[in-house]
Amino acid sequence: MTSCISTKLRTFLGEPIGEKCVAFVDGVDKDLAVRLIESGFEKAYVLLGQFLLMHKKEDDFQMWLMLAFGATRREAQKICICLREWCSTFI
Amino acid sequence: MAAAAAASAAQQLSDEELFSQLRRYGLSPGPVTESTRPVYLKKLKKLREEEQQQPPAPPQEQQPPPHRTGARSAKTRNSNNNNTAAAGAPPGAGAGAAAAGAGGRPPPGDLSYLRTSAALGRGSASAPDNPPGAAAAPALAGAGGGSKVLLGFSSDESDAEASPRDQASGGRKERAALQSRGGLKPAPLADGEAGPGQPAERRKPHAWWGARRAAAGPDPLGPPGREGAPEDAEEGADGGGEREPEGEELRWSSRPVNGSRLLPFSCRENYSDSEEEEEQDNVAVARPLFRDDSLLRSRPRRGHGKPPAGSRGEASHPAAAGGGCPGNDRAAGGLDRRRGPEEGGGGDPLDCSPIPRYRLTSKKQPPLLPSTLPDGDLALDRKTNNHIGRGGFHLDPSRVYANSLPHNPLMGSASSPSLRINHSNHTGSNHTYLKNTYNKHKLSEPEEELLQQFKREEVSTTGGFSAHYLSMFLLTAACLFFLILGLTYLGMRGTGVSEDGALNIKSPFDETFEKIQANEKNLMMNSLYKLHDRLAQVAGDHECGSSIQRRLSVQEAAAYLRDLGPEYEDVFNTSLQWILENGKDVGIRCIGNGSNEDLTNITDVQFLQSTRPQMSFWCRFRRAFITVTHRLLLVCLLLLLCFGVVMACVVLHYVKYHWTKEEEETRQMYDMVIKIIDVLRSHNDACQENKDLQPYMPIPHVRDSLIPPPDRKKMKKVWDRAVDFLAADESRVRTETRRIGGVDFLVWRWIQPAASRDKILVVPSKVWQGQAFHLDRRNSPPNSLTPCLKIRNMFDPVMEIGDHWHLAIQEAILEKCSDNDGIVHIAVDRNSCEGCVYVKCLSPEYAGKAFKALHGSWFDGKLVTVKYLRLDRYHHRFPQALTCSVPLKPSSKHMNSMSHLRLQTGTAPTQGSS
């Protein structure tokens, strides 16, 4: 875990997830956000829910992200890390 | 005559008519079925042509009447009773004859035929399939007439006298007897003589089988019968052959039915029976037997004429018995029928193969063979005999009965000329050899079945073989032992040396002896001989323990010689010198005071000792015996040592095996415990929901719900151990006794408070749960690349319990791709941490279909992903997939893994999409 976490991540982790849009999740760029929203993952907590449903398995979650939404590996990793950290912080 | 009339209307011949026609010609036709009919027709035509060329022999006339009568009787019998064991009383004459077969009813000789037919009728349980035809009746009558000399089967099965006639008739008799017995035994087999004619023919084999079985005794008859049968076959091959194959077919196809069919055959006529039997027996064992009968029957041919007929009655029985025996072997092997000891008793089922049988028969029936009428009587017998090729035909039909047609004609035509020659010139051996060759070539399926059955017979008779070999082995071992003993004894010979001693002494003559003068030579030699004898005696006494002195001192030797004669004393020193100088062993050894070698001068010699002690025979023997015993003891010790080593190895292996088994069982026990806990827990949860349920579960109910019925017995031990484990080591489960429905049960009660336990979301296991995403260019390759797929994430190896979860995975994949019938190989990699399953399809297109169905689906809460694999790598990993080409299908119709998808309507909603 790198000590210099991105601003986005720090921001995301700094507060409850609330009703944030999924674009706020670290690693989600605009195109991916559009695709996510198209598929119904409007809110960040929906994506979080998917992460939890997949039993917080990072590899599976990343694979799903890549396959379902065409996310790159880097993006998927960042998303996964972000959500994982949030979980460890808040759950 | 009727036959002629029938012959004229060849085209409209009914089966029975055809049969009788053929029999008239002396053939022993097998059952006439659709397949054999053309063959028989052809044969009949041929016979007619021949008949026209030569005047019908008078004997021929004799044949038909007996046949007819026999047939008639058979017919009557058939009509009376088909199946039941021979015990059924044969009607009228037939009854008499049949009775004989049945078990000892003394049949009149005449009735032997009848009896056989009756027996056939009776024996074969199955209804007479062959319509008792008039032809059959006449044929039978003819046979009966021919067999009037036969004494009838009942006379005795054990009549093993193998007179040719007897044998011939014995064959028949045997058949009858068999039939009767066969009736007793598996009725169907035996004599279900349906109709005298064809039915009889057809049944003959069966009857013959039965008869053979029944006939405990007459082995000799068997072979003779067999030989006769070949003859018969030769005589009248065509008809018989056709019918027999048919009968054989029938017989094989449905034993009971066939049996009955066979009976009629056997009843029918000697030769027809034999022929038929032979043909029907794979090995044609029956045939030889029946051939004898046929031979006998065709009296003119055989030359046995009446006497054979009479004796045939007798002989048939024994022959039948004998033939039955071999036939039995065959039949038993083939037909799986009464292999009974009775039959075996008669014929030693030494070899089930037809060849031995033939040989046997041929040997036994030399007299019959010449008499058998290959050609002359063919006209007579051909009619009735199906065997086209007399000998060969018999064999063939038996073999081929299924393909009787192709073979029979072939055999008939081919073999008959040769057979004729054979018969006329050679003994049955030729016949049999010929037949054998033919038979070998024409192995059809049923024949092969029969042969296999015979092989089984052979196998079953290895017991007898091994006993024989064992005795031989013991004998040779004993001989060897005594031989070794004798040799050892000889090795210890004492004074056997005298001759050798002389030789030895003579040998050094050339060297040292020249020094000595001639006149002294003789004297010296004499003295030496005497000395040698004396020394040998002394040594022998010493060896045998009667004296303690082994050697003679020089003075004593000199004194001895002096006693013998004064002249010996003079040459004493010379002899000693010669002995010393002569380096070879002459039987006397000079020993000095000190060392053994330094004897340069006779003065050093102090003692004389014999190197070849002379011992009495008893002493020698005793010593030899002791030596041998010691050696044997050594050998035994060695063997014991080896045995001990072997035992140690065995014990080691057993211990290892036991240990692994123990481990396996323990693992199973723990699996079971886990399953039980899960069940109890879920039941407890259900109880929380539903207050109507009892909070405990009877133990047997838990077991029955966890273990499928086929495994219950197998898993009993595991289950018991699990129960004990729960009782001892599981604190959340309590074992109590409760009364449920009035019956006391041991129950388990889950006592963990529900509040302290998290509610576990019941995730359905092993079901497909929808598609995660649509397949597009991004997440799937544009086209299917290879026929092999690697599917990931189907399972988690750590979470899986049990032995057969991989089968559920395979099922799930097959069910998901149920519309895809191109999957030929599935391999679940149980050890992969990724949960990989490898699939091979018939072609890349099928693989693409499977890809679309599987890729991105949710299975058991996991996202399944698929990728293509290279075909060569796949084959390298799974070589067994190289040959797979059969599409796999889900094994059950329920498609449990698709249950969730079925509930969804329209496009399956994905978990993550709306």
Side-chain angles (χ1 to χ4, degrees):
Chain A
M1 229 356 40
T2 172
S3 58
C4 52
I5 55 179
S6 68
T7 318
K8 195 171 184 187
L9 181 58
R10 196 179 303 122
T11 318
F12 189 78
L13 293 178
E15 55 195 14
I17 200 165
E19 298 287 325
K20 285 187 191 159
C21 179
V22 69
F24 282 91
V25 179
D26 180 33
V28 177
D29 64 349
K30 201 155 71 108
D31 297 331
L32 184 57
V34 167
R35 288 198 290 269
L36 281 167
I37 292 168
E38 279 173 359
S39 308
F41 290 82
E42 244 188 46
K43 303 286 184 185
Y45 58 75
V46 183
L47 198 61
L48 174 70
Q50 180 68 25
F51 179 69
L52 297 174
L53 270 179
M54 295 179 88
H55 301 275
K56 295 198 236 172
K57 289 190 196 139
E58 302 185 23
D59 295 333
D60 291 355
F61 185 68
Q62 289 173 23
M63 176 71 63
W64 172 72
L65 280 174
M66 293 191 296
L67 287 177
F69 304 104
T72 64
R73 181 168 286 281
R74 189 75 197 116
E75 289 173 343
Q77 273 177 352
K78 284 163 89 169
I79 294 171
C80 187
I81 290 169
C82 174
L83 290 178
R84 187 192 70 209
E85 290 299 316
W86 192 95
C87 284
S88 63
T89 310
F90 291 93
I91 292 185
Chain B
M1 53 190 188
S8 57
Q11 300 316 316
Q12 278 72 39
L13 273 182
S14 75
D15 285 3
E16 291 76 16
E17 289 164 344
L18 182 60
F19 189 81
S20 62
Q21 293 292 321
L22 290 166
R23 288 179 57 133
R24 204 151 288 153
Y25 281 109
L27 291 179
S28 236
V32 178
T33 61
E34 304 73 34
S35 54
T36 60
R37 195 188 169 79
V39 179
Y40 287 157
L41 280 173
K42 249 203 293 184
K43 186 77 182 169
L44 191 63
K45 278 204 191 72
K46 191 157 150 269
L47 288 172
R48 292 217 187 110
E49 289 166 17
E50 289 165 3
E51 193 180 13
Q52 284 155 15
Q53 286 159 14
Q54 34 177 316
Q60 213 169 356
E61 302 301 333
Q62 298 168 11
Q63 284 303 325
H67 290 279
R68 253 176 252 118
T69 55
R72 253 182 258 123
S73 49
K75 204 155 59 145
T76 47
R77 266 195 305 273
N78 286 341
S79 54
N80 281 352
N81 50 2
N82 284 343
N83 359 332
T84 46
R105 277 169 254 192
D110 240 3
L111 300 175
S112 53
Y113 276 110
L114 301 177
R115 257 179 300 207
T116 42
S117 49
L120 279 173
R122 267 173 309 158
S124 49
S126 54
D129 356 21
N130 308 326
L140 265 180
S147 66
K148 51 174 154 269
V149 196
L150 290 178
L151 297 185
F153 300 128
S154 65
S155 14
D156 59 303
E157 306 133 0
S158 52
D159 184 354
E161 257 72 87
S163 68
R165 305 170 310 168
D166 288 347
Q167 287 168 352
S169 52
R172 235 170 348 136
K173 249 169 64 136
E174 188 184 351
R175 267 175 281 152
L178 286 174
Q179 291 169 2
S180 54
R181 268 186 241 150
L184 299 170
K185 287 173 170 213
L189 253 188
D191 323 84
E193 175 177 29
Q198 280 171 352
E201 285 178 351
R202 292 209 188 96
R203 272 178 266 180
K204 187 178 59 150
H206 288 285
W208 183 79
W209 289 113
R212 270 190 297 186
R213 264 180 264 199
D219 284 351
L221 284 181
R226 252 187 297 217
E227 287 184 11
E231 320 271 47
D232 290 338
E234 293 185 28
E235 292 170 7
D238 300 326
E242 286 179 4
R243 295 217 204 138
E244 286 176 25
E246 202 179 19
E248 246 184 298
E249 277 177 328
L250 298 171
R251 179 177 49 190
W252 292 118
S253 55
S254 60
R255 301 250 176 90
V257 175
N258 288 344
S260 54
R261 259 189 291 240
L262 286 175
L263 288 175
F265 270 128
S266 53
C267 299
R268 222 181 218 273
E269 315 240 325
N270 283 343
Y271 36 76
S272 53
D273 287 347
S274 58
E275 288 173 8
E276 289 166 314
E277 287 194 39
E278 274 192 58
E279 295 179 24
Q280 295 179 348
D281 286 322
N282 260 349
V283 203
V285 170
R287 292 240 171 66
L289 189 56
F290 289 108
R291 287 212 197 115
D292 278 347
D293 293 340
S294 331
L295 289 175
L296 295 173
R297 268 182 260 176
S298 57
R299 261 174 280 123
R301 284 185 292 184
R302 306 266 167 101
H304 295 319
K306 308 278 183 195
S311 58
R312 254 185 298 173
E314 283 299 330
S316 61
H317 185 78
C325 296
N328 285 338
D329 299 341
R330 270 192 306 182
L335 298 180
D336 230 358
R337 284 199 244 187
R338 350 183 204 204
R339 258 234 120 177
E342 306 109 35
E343 309 228 329
D348 178 19
L350 276 184
D351 31 42
C352 306
S353 65
I355 298 172
R357 301 246 173 100
Y358 287 130
R359 273 189 246 121
L360 208 52
T361 58
S362 57
K363 279 184 234 152
K364 296 212 185 167
Q365 298 251 338
L368 279 181
L369 291 173
S371 57
T372 57
L373 189 73
D375 301 345
D377 301 335
L378 263 181
L380 243 176
D381 298 335
R382 287 274 171 79
K383 274 174 101 160
T384 50
N385 293 345
N386 288 345
H387 305 281
I388 296 178
R390 276 185 280 205
F393 189 80
H394 287 286
L395 294 182
D396 267 354
S398 57
R399 289 253 168 127
V400 187
Y401 71 81
N403 317 331
S404 54
L405 281 181
H407 290 275
N408 292 342
L410 249 179
M411 290 312 300
S413 42
S415 54
S416 44
S418 51
L419 284 173
R420 277 188 218 171
I421 297 171
N422 284 347
H423 284 290
S424 45
N425 299 340
H426 307 287
T427 61
S429 51
N430 288 341
H431 179 74
T432 56
Y433 296 151
L434 198 64
K435 285 187 279 196
N436 291 339
T437 53
Y438 278 112
N439 292 333
K440 283 188 188 130
H441 301 320
K442 322 276 179 165
L443 272 182
S444 70
E445 229 177 273
E447 291 173 358
E448 287 187 284
E449 287 175 6
L450 290 173
L451 278 180
Q452 279 162 17
Q453 285 162 339
F454 288 125
K455 280 185 195 123
R456 275 183 252 132
E457 281 187 20
E458 280 172 326
V459 170
S460 63
T461 59
T462 48
F465 277 130
S466 61
H468 172 70
Y469 288 148
L470 188 66
S471 56
M472 293 300 299
F473 167 72
L474 281 176
L475 199 65
T476 46
C479 290
L480 268 175
F481 171 73
F482 284 119
L483 202 69
I484 291 171
L485 195 64
L487 286 175
T488 317
Y489 156 71
L490 284 178
M492 321 214 28
R493 68 183 185 277
T495 49
V497 73
S498 34
E499 300 82 5
D500 303 356
L503 270 166
N504 273 345
I505 292 175
K506 282 195 177 67
S507 53
F509 281 177
D510 38 346
E511 297 174 9
T512 56
F513 219 54
E514 290 102 18
K515 302 188 207 162
I516 309 167
Q517 282 125 14
N519 60 343
E520 277 197 355
K521 274 188 198 166
N522 284 342
L523 209 57
M524 204 183 74
M525 290 318 300
N526 286 341
S527 71
L528 276 176
Y529 285 141
K530 299 266 186 310
L531 201 59
H532 183 272
D533 290 341
R534 176 84 184 113
L535 286 171
Q537 229 173 10
V538 169
D541 290 339
H542 173 80
E543 293 286 340
C544 290
S546 51
S547 83
I548 50 171
Q549 176 79 331
R550 195 170 197 275
R551 47 198 186 181
L552 279 179
S553 71
V554 173
Q555 294 80 6
E556 288 170 4
Y560 173 73
L561 279 180
R562 206 177 305 127
D563 292 339
L564 285 181
E567 65 276 11
Y568 292 128
E569 196 181 352
D570 301 332
V571 301
F572 184 65
N573 289 335
T574 330
S575 338
L576 278 184
Q577 184 73 22
W578 178 78
I579 292 172
L580 275 178
E581 288 170 3
N582 186 345
K584 304 185 194 154
D585 179 20
V586 298
I588 301 177
R589 191 163 62 212
C590 303
I591 301 175
N593 264 336
S595 62
N596 290 330
E597 301 303 327
D598 300 308
L599 300 174
T600 52
N601 201 339
I602 53 172
T603 52
D604 291 343
V605 180
Q606 296 298 324
F607 296 100
L608 292 175
Q609 188 178 20
S610 168
T611 53
R612 303 194 192 92
Q614 174 191 17
M615 299 178 278
S616 69
F617 168 77
W618 185 245
C619 178
R620 263 183 272 140
F621 178 78
R622 207 175 55 219
R623 285 164 63 92
F625 181 73
I626 289 171
T627 313
V628 167
T629 318
H630 284 159
R631 288 195 193 141
L632 277 180
L633 273 176
L634 274 173
V635 167
C636 282
L637 277 174
L638 220 74
L639 279 177
L640 267 176
L641 204 68
C642 298
F643 181 69
V645 167
V646 164
M647 280 302 297
C649 285
V650 163
V651 164
L652 203 71
H653 282 295
Y654 175 73
V655 163
K656 236 196 287 187
Y657 158 78
H658 195 67
W659 191 55
T660 44
K661 208 154 80 90
E662 275 297 312
E663 268 198 26
E664 167 77 15
E665 279 194 358
T666 311
R667 194 182 54 77
Q668 276 182 337
M669 189 264 287
Y670 284 127
D671 282 348
M672 185 63 63
V673 165
I674 290 173
K675 281 193 213 156
I676 294 170
I677 290 177
D678 286 341
V679 165
L680 290 177
R681 190 184 297 153
S682 59
H683 179 76
N684 192 36
D685 298 339
C687 286
Q688 304 297 325
E689 316 276 332
N690 181 2
K691 290 302 175 190
D692 293 339
L693 292 174
Q694 300 296 329
Y696 45 77
M697 276 191 85
I699 293 182
H701 292 189
V702 175
R703 181 201 69 196
D704 294 341
S705 66
L706 282 180
I707 309 180
D711 299 339
R712 276 186 206 155
K713 241 192 166 72
K714 212 172 32 148
M715 306 280 282
K716 178 165 169 43
K717 189 160 175 244
V718 174
W719 177 260
D720 291 339
R721 288 181 66 186
V723 170
D724 295 339
F725 180 85
L726 281 178
D729 285 335
E730 180 60 55
S731 61
R732 296 169 292 177
V733 174
R734 189 169 69 203
T735 311
E736 329 175 309
T737 311
R738 289 223 161 236
R739 182 167 290 232
I740 302 175
V743 180
D744 284 334
F745 278 105
L746 267 177
V747 302
W748 277 324
R749 179 194 288 270
W750 183 258
I751 54 176
Q752 185 181 32
S756 65
R757 183 181 52 80
D758 293 340
K759 273 210 184 281
I760 295 174
L761 195 68
V762 177
V763 179
S765 72
K766 305 267 189 305
V767 289
W768 294 99
Q769 291 155 324
Q771 195 88 8
F773 46 84
H774 297 295
L775 297 177
D776 52 18
R777 280 184 303 107
R778 272 185 336 217
N779 45 35
S780 60
N783 58 341
S784 43
L785 311 168
T786 71
C788 304
L789 305 173
K790 176 177 179 182
I791 307 166
R792 279 211 189 86
N793 230 358
M794 290 292 294
F795 56 89
D796 191 350
V798 179
M799 306 281 291
E800 300 293 344
I801 54 172
D803 289 337
H804 307 293
W805 52 267
H806 62 284
L807 297 174
I809 304 282
Q810 283 186 9
E811 273 306 296
I813 289 182
L814 283 172
E815 286 167 11
K816 192 73 166 63
C817 306
S818 54
D819 59 338
N820 180 355
D821 54 357
I823 298 179
V824 297
H825 177 256
I826 299 185
V828 175
D829 188 356
R830 294 170 65 141
N831 305 321
S832 71
C833 48
E834 282 188 333
C836 293
V837 179
Y838 297 89
V839 167
K840 181 185 170 191
C841 301
L842 282 173
S843 71
E845 288 75 31
Y846 289 109
K849 262 180 79 177
F851 185 95
K852 289 190 178 60
L854 294 168
H855 187 58
S857 301
W858 294 106
F859 180 73
D860 198 13
K862 294 185 278 288
L863 186 67
V864 173
T865 56
V866 187
K867 73 172 204 171
Y868 288 98
L869 285 183
R870 272 171 51 175
L871 186 61
D872 52 353
R873 294 246 175 90
Y874 193 93
H875 285 155
H876 182 66
R877 172 94 188 262
F878 302 103
Q880 67 269 24
L882 269 164
T883 56
C884 289
S885 63
V886 176
L888 302 172
K889 288 275 168 219
S891 60
S892 80
K893 287 287 174 205
H894 296 299
M895 304 256 263
N896 293 327
S897 67
M898 309 281 282
S899 55
H900 284 227
L901 297 181
R902 279 197 291 264
L903 298 174
Q904 296 159 352
T905 56
T907 60
T910 66
Q911 272 189 356
S913 59
S914 56

